[in-house]
Amino acid sequence: MAVPLLYAVLSGFKSTDQLSRNPIGLPDPWVTSNYTGILGSGSFWQLVGSSALIAIGTTVLVVAASALAAFSFARFAFRGREFLFTLFTMGLMFPFAVAALPLFLLLRSLGLLDNPLGVILPQAAFGLPMTIIILRGFFREIPGELEEAATLDGCSPFGFFWRILLPMARPALGTVSVLAVIASWNNFLLPLLVFTDSTWWTIPIGVQQFQGQYSAEYAKVFAYLVLAMVPALAFYSVAERQLVGGLAAGATKG
């Protein structure tokens, strides 16, 4: 895993001529202009900002909706509960490519093309199945005696959910938040489908456009790829302990 990443980083410090003559050696001389030129470009930071906005919006929406749904599935007994939960789990078997055309027509009819909500809402919808499954398993393991004690103290079901359950579920919430952010950041097909205006292009689309514009300058393309990966890698390195801890907690409780 480290070798391709290291190769890309070093290749970004070469000129295209160096890359052709010495593809696996160290740069000689080191060409920093590939990286500094991209970092000094306003369009690159616009892509980063757009990706960050969409990732945050998607994460907030999918975690909030999934937490409420998982709480209902885990703590309430009602007719059709397992059937509805099965419908959500079936969403894991539904590939996005199958829904691309009807989703495009739906977003066009709603006026959500070239609108960040046109990406945030579908991403949140496709993220619901996995998020609900993870949170439901965690919520079901919270002792019922704790809920009974809260009820005796005058706590409503929503009060128990907000004041007690969510703070206890922080590892699980952190896990699904990390997964949602990374999935949104790396999503290519949906933003490509929704955005025709470059104002809202995301990092994956920017990589494609840059590669097409500088197809003969491989060193610049490598530098752009590395810089496009840095935000996601930095976020994952910070949140990795939370992700592993949440998954381990869910495995232990299961």
Side-chain angles (χ1 to χ4, degrees), residues 30-77:
W30 291 70
V31 181
T32 59
S33 59
N34 292 334
Y35 288 100
T36 57
I38 296 170
L39 290 174
S41 170
S43 60
F44 175 77
W45 293 108
Q46 181 180 350
L47 295 172
V48 172
S50 179
S51 293
L53 175 65
I54 291 173
I56 293 172
T58 300
T59 302
V60 170
L61 185 58
V62 71
V63 172
S66 298
L68 289 169
F71 175 63
S72 300
F73 287 134
R75 312 300 296 192
F76 292 99

Side-chain angles (χ1 to χ4, degrees), residues 5 8 30 43-44 71 88 100 103 111 127 130-131 140 151-152 165 169 172 178 207 211 218 225 233 248 253:
L5 182 59
W30 291 70
S43 60
F44 175 77
F71 175 63
F88 276 106
L103 180 60
M130 178 60 71
T131 310
R140 290 184 71 176
T151 303
L152 291 175
L165 198 62
V178 172
V207 169
Q211 188 174 0
Y218 304 114
L225 288 171
L233 290 174
K253 288 180 177 295

Side-chain angles (χ1 to χ4, degrees), residues 26-249:
L26 293 175
D28 185 25
W30 291 70
V31 181
T32 59
S33 59
N34 292 334
Y35 288 100
T36 57
I38 296 170
L39 290 174
S41 170
S43 60
F44 175 77
W45 293 108
Q46 181 180 350
L47 295 172
V48 172
S50 179
S51 293
L53 175 65
I54 291 173
I56 293 172
T58 300
T59 302
V60 170
L61 185 58
V62 71
V63 172
S66 298
L68 289 169
F71 175 63
S72 300
F73 287 134
R75 312 300 296 192
F76 292 99
F78 55 90
R79 181 176 298 178
R81 182 183 67 173
E82 295 304 320
F83 174 74
L84 288 175
F85 181 71
T86 302
L87 286 180
F88 276 106
T89 58
M90 289 175 62
L92 294 173
M93 301 181 290
F94 191 73
F96 172 77
V98 175
L101 179 58
L103 180 60
F104 175 81
L105 297 176
L106 177 62
L107 293 175
R108 186 176 65 179
S109 66
L110 295 175
L112 292 178
L113 296 181
D114 285 321
N115 187 320
L117 288 177
V119 176
I120 292 173
L121 293 176
Q123 281 189 161
F126 277 91
L128 284 175
M130 178 60 71
T131 310
I132 290 176
I133 290 172
I134 294 175
L135 292 181
R136 188 206 190 200
F138 198 94
F139 289 168
R140 290 184 71 176
E141 297 302 324
I142 302 298
E145 293 80 4
L146 190 62
E147 184 174 2
E148 294 173 3
T151 303
L152 291 175
D153 287 338
C155 193
S156 65
F158 184 77
F160 170 74
F161 167 76
W162 182 256
R163 297 177 183 177
I164 300 175
L165 198 62
L166 286 185
M168 294 182 66
R170 271 184 291 184
L173 294 174
T175 298
V176 296
S177 297
V178 172
L179 294 176
V181 168
I182 293 177
S184 174
W185 191 273
N186 293 329
N187 195 347
F188 171 73
L189 183 57
L190 182 58
L192 182 66
L193 189 70
V194 174
F195 298 137
T196 57
D197 185 359
S198 60
T199 303
W200 288 107
W201 279 356
T202 57
I203 282 289
I205 299 178
V207 169
Q208 183 205 39
Q209 296 297 321
F210 190 89
Q211 188 174 0
Q213 184 177 357
Y214 296 94
S215 57
E217 300 184 46
Y218 304 114
K220 286 187 176 180
V221 174
F222 273 117
Y224 199 96
L225 288 171
V226 170
L227 291 176
M229 287 188 293
V230 165
L233 290 174
F235 173 76
Y236 182 80
S237 64
V238 172
E240 182 259 347
R241 180 176 299 179
Q242 182 68 45
L243 175 63
V244 174
L247 292 175

